[in-house]
Amino acid sequence: MMVTKTDTQTFVYATYIRTTPEKLWQALTNGEFSEKYWMGFRVEVEQRAGGRIYFRPPKGQDAVFFKEEGGKVLVCETNRKLVYEFAICKDTPEVAAKREGPSRVTYELTPMGDMVRLRLIHENLLPEDTAQDPNTMKGINNGWPAILSSLKSLLETGQAIPLTRPGKN
């Protein structure tokens, strides 16, 4: 019997935000702040390696699609780097059978003068994690740029970009 590993993909995205590493870190790890730019999701982080990260859906949104237990924090270097298991959505049984462990998200914060480069790396993705339709918030390739654009806008102007939640578009 031959066992073959499923080919995985990596999504990388960088944006430059006129803010400080401290303010950006707070935005990435504070549940109350995340609700403003992350389509109403409350992202709660136990800020230590081995801690948990939870993505709590907006009040009134069907939680059947979302996992309750959250992912594990793998690396936590305050104001510099956060790596965690991305365990937000429940897979269909077909996709779950292909997945060899959870996908991983890395945020790298690099100060650059009066701004910070936020580099996002999302690893161990399956083809099913991306969407072909660019006019939706579905898929890693559409969701991350929208969320990070909203985060950038909120930090720079005080106003997030209103985004449509998954399943609502």
Side-chain angles (χ1 to χ4, degrees):
M1 177 172 133
M2 188 172 124
V3 177
T4 58
K5 186 176 182 328
T6 303
D7 284 338
T8 61
Q9 301 171 351
T10 299
F11 178 81
V12 180
Y13 187 86
T15 189
Y16 298 80
I17 305 172
R18 189 170 281 118
T19 190
T20 64
E22 295 78 13
K23 287 180 183 172
L24 179 53
W25 183 265
Q26 180 74 4
L28 293 169
T29 60
N30 178 284
E32 196 171 312
F33 199 92
S34 69
E35 286 178 316
K36 297 173 186 172
Y37 69 87
W38 196 304
M39 296 181 263
F41 279 83
R42 187 175 185 89
V43 181
E44 298 173 351
V45 182
E46 294 176 355
Q47 295 187 40
R48 60 179 173 79
R52 306 298 292 177
I53 183 165
Y54 301 94
F55 294 86
R56 308 225 189 265
K59 289 178 178 41
Q61 184 164 342
D62 186 5
V64 174
F65 179 66
F66 304 101
K67 291 183 177 180
E68 294 285 328
E69 65 270 15
K72 188 159 101 179
V73 175
L74 305 172
V75 176
C76 186
E77 299 171 15
T78 304
N79 302 330
R80 293 185 58 233
K81 185 175 189 177
L82 179 65
V83 182
Y84 60 87
E85 295 172 340
F86 189 75
I88 182 172
C89 302
K90 293 180 183 174
D91 286 326
T92 63
E94 300 79 33
V95 173
K98 295 179 186 180
R99 210 174 282 287
E100 294 180 19
S103 64
R104 282 176 312 284
V105 170
T106 300
Y107 297 126
E108 296 174 342
L109 288 67
T110 306
M112 302 179 82
D114 67 347
M115 64 183 162
V116 179
R117 180 185 70 205
L118 173 60
R119 187 166 179 253
L120 170 119
I121 305 157
H122 198 151
E123 304 171 89
N124 203 30
L125 297 168
L126 297 175
E128 290 87 347
D129 293 324
T130 59
Q132 296 303 312
D133 181 359
N135 300 314
T136 177
M137 295 292 167
K138 293 181 177 139
I140 295 300
N141 54 319
N142 295 322
W144 277 122
I147 289 164
L148 296 181
S149 293
S150 187
L151 168 62
K152 175 180 170 66
S153 180
L154 181 58
L155 285 170
E156 291 182 348
T157 71
Q159 287 192 293
I161 297 169
L163 301 172
T164 306
R165 294 192 308 250
K168 301 278 184 186
N169 56 354

